[in-house]
Amino acid sequence: MSEPIRVVVTGAAGQIAYSLLYLISKGDVFGQNQPLILHLLDIPPMMGVLEGVVMELTDCALPLLREVIPTDNPEVAFKDVSAAFMVGSMPRKQGMERKDLLAANVKIFQVQGEALDKYARKDVKVLVVGNPANTNALVCSRFAPSIPKENFTAMTRLDQNRAQAQIANKLNVPVGAVSNVIIWGNHSSTQYPDGSHALVKINGTERPVPGEIKDDAWFKGYFLETVQKRGASVIAARKMSSAMSAAKAAADHMKDWFSGLAPGKFVSMAVVSDGSYGIPEDIVYSFPVTLKDGKWSIVKNLEIDSYSKGMMEATAKELEEERVDAFAIINKL
Ligand code: NAI
């Protein structure tokens, strides 16, 4: 057994955290030989609820979980953490303007970025789940200049998992047979789910998915819309947003980042753009990445046709607009 590592989950009294804390604590993310000290951050009015979550974690009797620290203080929450799941954010309330929502979140991610900068380990891996996730990650990184910007990522893994499941369903194969599905861009309705580089394993051989589906209209129609609008469909049905699947995706993202991927495999993560594929630098954009030794690398030189290029540029444009709005707010602070 190794020494325990410290992991923080923000928004710890919320619904995604309710599923995520169990996945983390039972070893699904950091492995079965990695003991954990969990730091749970939420806002003062939620401390009573958080107490109940701590009771339940205790009652799960999980051998890897050595200590649980509930708090409303960012200094306590981010102290010496190796991994940060940033789930807490300001939800959009009825009648709220997009700019007001962005302003509330800029403030939250400024405070938490500064706390990461001061108190977390310098190699902390940060996953932002709270929306607008990509731009929140950019803001968080901006306020944590002593931590490499490569350590700040946002989650598009739920979108990837949704896309992978749709392809598996279409091909009538188990979901684990499908790999290398890409989500480009923003975790919003402008995201571009791209199955054109995906692979499927049939009878032990990996084959390109487009050659198996042979239906370009399906990719550009049903597939695209289903993945882009899946979040809204879940809300319409459940009257609450995706939580179990979001937690599973957050666990998948962090697990792969810590433990790496098999050669030839890639996943999608929103990371700081280095200009690959003509995407503007300095936005947090979802790219296909390989993962090795705790580091991500953007997959280069994939063939991009003009349709894909247009879709990739549209979602980049939205992220550039979000960045302008977020930095206008920061400059006024
Ligand atoms: P929720 O409302 O159930 O929980 C959010 C929690 O965050 C609440 O307990 C709230 O008190 C807390 N919180 C608010 N401000 C905070 C702060 N400054 N510090 C610490 N905690 C704070 O929401 P849920 O369903 O758990 O979703 C959380 C976020 O994840 C939302 O922004 C949602 O839009 C986003 N989301 C992102 C997905 C993605 O794929 N990137 C998928 C699904 C949800």
Side-chain angles (χ1 to χ4, degrees):
M1 278 278 171
S2 336
E3 281 298 300
I5 57 166
R6 293 175 184 272
V7 175
V8 61
V9 177
T10 74
Q15 56 151 359
I16 292 177
Y18 194 69
S19 293
L20 177 61
L21 291 171
Y22 178 60
L23 295 177
I24 297 170
S25 307
K26 75 182 175 64
D28 280 14
V29 180
F30 303 102
Q32 295 301 326
N33 293 317
Q34 181 57 69
L36 301 165
I37 299 173
L38 270 187
H39 296 203
L40 308 184
L41 179 70
D42 213 295
I43 51 177
M46 297 305 284
M47 286 302 107
V49 175
L50 199 54
E51 213 175 291
V53 174
V54 176
M55 283 186 224
E56 282 212 66
L57 280 168
T58 307
D59 299 347
C60 285
L62 293 154
L64 291 171
L65 192 55
R66 297 296 160 82
E67 197 183 342
V68 183
I69 302 172
T71 183
D72 57 11
N73 179 350
E75 173 174 350
V76 175
F78 292 103
K79 182 87 184 131
D80 295 333
V81 293
S82 297
F85 293 87
M86 315 288 275
V87 183
S89 69
M90 174 66 81
R92 187 175 215 141
K93 298 191 184 114
Q94 229 175 359
M96 200 173 190
E97 292 288 327
R98 196 175 149 273
K99 282 209 168 141
D100 297 336
L101 180 74
L102 201 60
N105 282 298
V106 163
K107 192 79 206 131
I108 291 174
F109 283 87
Q110 174 190 356
V111 169
Q112 297 186 357
E114 286 169 349
L116 277 161
D117 198 49
K118 273 201 205 138
Y119 306 114
R121 287 172 56 112
K122 296 301 168 204
D123 62 355
V124 61
K125 290 181 167 52
V126 181
L127 164 59
V128 177
V129 176
N131 282 319
N134 300 51
T135 298
N136 287 342
L138 185 71
V139 170
C140 196
S141 163
R142 191 56 58 103
F143 285 103
S146 70
I147 298 168
K149 50 186 192 307
E150 289 75 18
N151 294 27
F152 292 83
T153 64
M155 186 166 96
T156 49
R157 185 60 171 264
L158 175 54
D159 309 295
Q160 179 199 307
N161 286 349
R162 287 165 172 165
Q164 202 172 319
Q166 289 302 318
I167 290 174
N169 196 29
K170 175 85 172 162
L171 289 169
N172 202 17
V173 298
V175 72
V178 179
S179 60
N180 294 8
V181 181
I182 304 172
I183 304 296
W184 300 97
N186 200 0
H187 170 70
S188 75
S189 58
T190 67
Q191 65 175 264
Y192 172 40
D194 175 9
S196 64
H197 304 279
L199 299 172
V200 57
K201 201 172 208 173
I202 298 173
N203 300 327
T205 311
E206 300 239 81
R207 305 178 193 179
V209 160
E212 297 301 312
I213 291 187
K214 296 189 193 81
D215 185 354
D216 197 39
W218 181 81
F219 281 111
K220 293 178 178 162
Y222 180 88
F223 171 72
L224 187 80
E225 272 177 35
T226 303
V227 178
Q228 284 180 335
K229 296 188 180 150
R230 190 67 158 188
S233 306
V234 170
I235 293 176
R238 223 172 72 86
K239 317 289 176 241
M240 283 196 285
S241 62
S242 312
M244 177 171 48
S245 54
K248 161 66 167 50
D252 287 347
H253 177 121
M254 198 64 98
K255 174 181 186 283
D256 288 345
W257 197 1
F258 268 80
S259 56
L261 293 173
K265 295 291 175 208
F266 53 74
V267 290
S268 292
M269 278 168 60
V271 299
V272 61
S273 171
D274 63 354
S276 296
Y277 299 101
I279 300 304
E281 288 181 28
D282 206 23
I283 51 175
V284 172
Y285 186 96
S286 180
F287 286 101
V289 298
T290 54
L291 295 160
K292 198 168 173 244
D293 302 328
K295 296 201 163 12
W296 53 262
S297 315
I298 295 172
V299 177
K300 308 276 181 181
N301 302 324
L302 292 172
E303 228 173 90
I304 306 293
D305 62 18
S306 61
Y307 168 79
S308 291
K309 199 165 177 4
M311 298 295 284
M312 287 159 65
E313 282 170 2
T315 186
K317 190 163 173 280
E318 183 183 51
L319 281 168
E320 285 187 288
E321 286 164 9
E322 282 186 19
R323 179 181 57 188
V324 168
D325 291 346
F327 284 96
I329 294 161
I330 289 171
N331 291 335
K332 276 197 218 136
L333 291 176

